[in-house]
Amino acid sequence: MDYVLLGQKIRAARITAGLSQEQLAEMVGLTSQHISHTEVASTKISLPSLIKIANALHTSVDRLLSDSIRDS
């Protein structure tokens, strides 16, 4: 999985939604520091957190991961 690309997609979706890192963090029950670290790929996000973020941003996990999926 490309965590850098995932973080970039989360950041883009957050900005498109007009949310700050703090607002998104509050919506999903994470810290703004965790959102920041996820966006710059300095931490690996858990599946439950990814699902919460996708739901809060009104997008799908598939969309956030779409560039990370590779066909075998």
Side-chain angles (χ1 to χ4, degrees):
M1 176 182 304
D2 187 336
Y3 287 97
V4 172
L5 191 53
L6 174 60
Q8 291 170 350
K9 291 191 126 199
I10 290 171
R11 181 177 187 275
R14 176 181 58 76
I15 291 170
T16 298
L19 297 171
S20 68
Q21 289 179 342
E22 292 79 15
Q23 291 168 318
L24 178 58
E26 186 175 317
M27 292 171 71
V28 298
L30 298 171
T31 66
S32 58
Q33 184 178 23
H34 190 78
I35 298 295
S36 175
H37 288 181
T38 298
E39 289 183 359
V40 298
S42 65
T43 190
K44 293 181 179 176
I45 189 168
S46 69
L47 182 57
S49 294
L50 180 58
I51 291 168
K52 288 178 186 178
I53 288 171
N55 287 335
L57 296 174
H58 305 289
T59 191
S60 69
V61 172
D62 289 350
R63 180 164 292 200
L64 294 175
L65 294 174
S66 64
D67 292 330
S68 295
I69 299 171
R70 294 193 170 93
D71 292 332
S72 301

